[in-house]
Amino acid sequence: MKNKKTFQIVLTAFFLGIMILMSAVPFLGFIPIGPLNATILHIPVIIGSIVLGPRLGAFLGTSFGVMSVINATTRPSALSFVFSPFIPIIGTDQGSWLALIVALVPRILVGIVPYYVYKLCRHLLKEKADGLSLFVAGVAGGLTNTLLVMNLIYFIFKDAYGELIKKGANQVYGAILLVIGTQGVPEAIVAGVLTAAIASILLRLNRKNNTEHL
């Protein structure tokens, strides 16, 4: 039990360190694409969720959300107001604390959803399809991030987002769907591939570690 605890602490610190490094280096953790930033910061969170469980996964997800707020505040872009309450909304002189919902809630769930998707897939597909289960869990984690972020932007900041992208109110959701399809889906596939490759190794190490200390 003590050895398992040590493994979890070390791995959590490792993931957190990678996330801090990626977040601190411009164009690595947050990659500007138009008004939005593409990101790969969700990948350590997804892998952490599967290997370490939903509690530590949620911690890593919260860390991801906090890094998103810090990035939006210190390296502002046209859309930073949806992630930081300290950046004024377009057409106003003040930000909204509702931005914290967009920045934090999806990222916390990225640290929870993959764990349960992985467990469900392993139950349905059996252990022989472990690689496929990890891939599906990775994709689910990536889609959780994009779908929730983009839909929360629509429901909370629809008018400001429409003004930013020069779309009428009835065209905004179509633009949201375009972002999900062109940016979110590729991000999710990349997350699935990397999760299947990396998490499988870490899970084997974890199981071997636990077996040796029974």
Side-chain angles (χ1 to χ4, degrees), residues 34-214:
L36 287 166
N37 284 328
T39 184
I40 54 174
L41 270 175
H42 58 300
I43 294 174
V45 179
I46 293 168
I47 297 171
S49 171
I50 294 168
V51 178
L52 300 170
R55 184 175 60 85
L56 290 174
F59 166 74
L60 292 172
T62 302
S63 302
F64 174 20
V66 171
M67 291 173 195
S68 180
V69 174
I70 293 172
N71 178 73
T73 305
T74 59
R75 298 199 290 257
S77 65
L79 198 61
S80 288
F81 65 89
V82 306
F83 297 110
S84 172
F86 307 108
I87 303 297
I89 299 172
I90 291 177
T92 74
D93 59 357
Q94 60 184 7
S96 170
W97 290 100
L98 293 174
L100 293 178
I101 296 177
V102 182
L104 294 175
V105 172
R107 279 62 188 272
I108 292 171
L109 290 173
V110 169
I112 297 173
V113 170
Y115 174 83
Y116 290 105
V117 171
Y118 173 63
K119 291 296 183 183
L120 177 61
C121 287
R122 271 177 61 89
H123 175 71
L124 295 176
L125 302 175
K126 310 304 179 187
E127 293 185 10
K128 292 181 180 179
D130 198 54
L132 179 58
S133 298
L134 288 170
F135 174 78
V136 173
V139 170
L143 290 177
T144 296
N145 181 53
T146 303
L147 290 174
L148 286 179
V149 166
M150 294 309 300
N151 278 282
L152 284 171
I153 288 174
Y154 176 76
F155 287 113
I156 298 175
F157 297 108
K158 179 176 71 172
D159 293 338
Y161 184 72
E163 185 177 342
L164 173 65
I165 62 174
K166 311 299 183 187
K167 298 287 186 181
N170 61 336
Q171 298 175 306
V172 172
Y173 201 71
I176 294 285
L177 291 175
L178 182 63
V179 172
I180 292 171
T182 59
Q183 184 173 316
V185 171
E187 279 185 6
I189 293 172
V190 170
V193 171
L194 292 178
T195 297
I198 299 170
S200 60
I201 297 171
L202 294 175
L203 285 170
R204 281 199 298 270
L205 287 174
N206 192 25
R207 289 163 187 159
K208 181 180 178 182
N209 188 50
N210 291 337
T211 301
E212 288 178 349
H213 289 85
L214 285 177

